[in-house]
Amino acid sequence: MWMPPGQNQSWVSEFILLGFSSDPTSNRILFIVFFLLYLSSVLANGLIVTLICLDTHLHTPMYFFLCILSLLDMGSITTTMPQMLVHLLAHSQAISFTGCWLQMYMFGTLSVVECILFVIMAYDQYVAICYPLRYTVILNWGLCTRLAAGTWAGGFFSLIHTSLTMRLPYCGPNVVNHYFCEGPSVRSLACMDTHLIEMADLVISVFMLVAPLSLILASYIRIAQAILKIKSTQGRCKAFSTCASHLTVVTLFYAPATYIYIRPNSSYSPERDKQISLFYNVFTALLNPVVYSLRNKDIKGALLKVMGWSRVAW
């Protein structure tokens, strides 16, 4: 049964986010750890964006999409972490109904956009390796801009997911065993049968996770076929190295996200889900710039130029 918009808010005006611990001493330690992780992630991704903007050698489609990925990671982690840091030190761990709705929607939107962006980045790799001489013609700036803008259409699916969850009747208790308002955790508090909602949500999740992942795999099958035709061993190694960073980042993102959103409801485990969500929300955002910077000579060279050092051969 659907509830009229706003009716559930008369039952629950706020949610309580349990977080990771109720012990004040543990919370202070966790605050320091998570604050350093958050700060490191924002600074690392911010550095990637700054280097790409400042160095004209990085004004290519690949780095354009990498810049967007860093901005998405900063937005995603900022959607969840500041609230969690406040709750680690504050006496109250409450978040308003509206705040929960916005957090769920923004996190979902940024995650969906990132899923689509990974497909575009895989296509970029495909064109760069399979059609190197036509790369700049195929991926011209007009197309890159349209592709980047088109990724935000995925926010519509996040709106459906959020609306399905937040329109449910919540009649208490309103305690969410999570550190932010994530759909499955909030939905588990509903005081009605959510089977149909979960099925609809599963269809959306499959479409937004499995479909992009299938396109990425298809791109890399074609890339692998093209690489195997390269006669030079050095050329093959260079081509595989070019794809390694993207494949690593895709794996770090899709593996935990697929587990959270595409799995039987019977396997729901609040504590395990919190840990997995923490990984793909916080640690993935931190590891992405590390993966790209450690394996990328252009990023290293741009950093040296910004620091005032002469460019060296790597």
Side-chain angles (χ1 to χ4, degrees):
M1 171 175 93
W2 288 101
M3 303 298 296
Q7 183 170 337
N8 53 349
Q9 296 185 47
S10 64
W11 294 357
V12 173
S13 60
E14 63 180 22
F15 294 96
I16 307 297
L17 300 174
L18 286 185
F20 290 95
S21 174
S22 58
D23 178 60
T25 302
S26 299
N27 282 342
R28 293 189 192 98
I29 296 174
L30 289 174
F31 174 86
I32 296 173
V33 172
F34 288 137
F35 176 76
L36 292 176
L37 287 172
Y38 173 67
L39 186 63
S40 299
S41 178
V42 171
L43 291 177
N45 283 286
L47 179 61
I48 294 289
V49 173
T50 302
L51 292 176
I52 292 173
C53 291
L54 293 179
D55 195 328
T56 55
H57 293 91
L58 301 181
H59 291 178
T60 64
M62 181 179 76
Y63 293 109
F64 172 67
F65 295 130
L66 177 57
C67 180
I68 295 175
L69 176 63
S70 293
L71 291 172
L72 289 173
D73 283 337
M74 285 193 289
S76 180
I77 196 173
T78 300
T79 300
T80 60
M81 288 294 286
Q83 178 81 56
M84 184 184 71
L85 292 172
V86 170
H87 286 173
L88 287 172
L89 297 182
H91 294 293
S92 173
Q93 295 177 307
I95 181 172
S96 68
F97 184 93
T98 302
C100 187
W101 193 100
L102 288 173
Q103 188 179 62
M104 188 184 302
Y105 171 70
M106 288 304 302
F107 181 78
T109 297
L110 293 170
S111 298
V112 169
V113 171
E114 195 160 334
C115 285
I116 301 173
L117 182 66
F118 282 136
V119 177
I120 297 174
M121 294 175 76
Y123 177 68
D124 170 75
Q125 297 286 340
Y126 165 73
V127 175
I129 292 176
C130 297
Y131 304 98
L133 299 180
R134 299 176 56 198
Y135 177 70
T136 55
V137 177
I138 297 174
L139 279 174
N140 56 73
W141 282 111
L143 178 60
C144 290
T145 303
R146 291 193 295 272
L147 287 173
T151 59
W152 289 95
F156 173 73
F157 293 96
S158 176
L159 179 61
I160 296 175
H161 163 81
T162 304
S163 298
L164 288 174
T165 299
M166 300 307 286
R167 287 171 64 93
L168 292 169
Y170 296 98
C171 46
N174 58 342
V175 179
V176 181
N177 193 358
H178 214 297
Y179 69 93
F180 76 100
C181 287
E182 191 169 38
S185 299
V186 175
R187 192 166 52 239
S188 66
L189 303 179
C191 54
M192 65 170 283
D193 183 15
T194 61
H195 178 71
L196 292 178
I197 305 297
E198 289 165 3
M199 291 300 296
D201 198 43
L202 178 62
V203 171
I204 295 173
S205 298
V206 168
F207 183 75
M208 296 313 303
L209 284 172
V210 176
L213 187 58
S214 299
L215 292 174
I216 292 172
L217 292 176
S219 296
Y220 274 101
I221 289 174
R222 297 293 299 274
I223 289 172
Q225 292 173 342
I227 291 176
L228 292 175
K229 294 179 182 179
I230 300 175
K231 297 181 180 180
S232 168
T233 302
Q234 183 179 0
R236 286 198 298 268
C237 292
K238 183 178 179 181
F240 275 120
S241 178
T242 302
C243 302
S245 298
H246 182 249
L247 283 172
T248 302
V249 169
V250 167
T251 302
L252 290 173
F253 178 86
Y254 271 96
T258 301
Y259 172 80
I260 290 291
Y261 292 102
I262 305 177
R263 49 95 189 269
N265 192 50
S266 58
S267 64
Y268 174 70
S269 172
E271 295 302 323
R272 186 173 58 221
D273 283 7
K274 278 192 291 187
Q275 296 169 5
I276 295 175
S277 296
L278 184 69
F279 178 83
Y280 84 82
N281 176 214
V282 179
F283 289 99
T284 300
L286 177 61
L287 290 173
N288 283 355
V290 174
V291 169
Y292 276 104
S293 61
L294 288 179
R295 301 185 60 89
N296 194 296
K297 297 178 181 179
D298 294 331
I299 294 291
K300 294 176 183 177
L303 179 59
L304 292 177
K305 287 176 64 176
V306 169
M307 295 174 66
W309 298 350
S310 60
R311 195 181 184 108
V312 296
W314 290 86

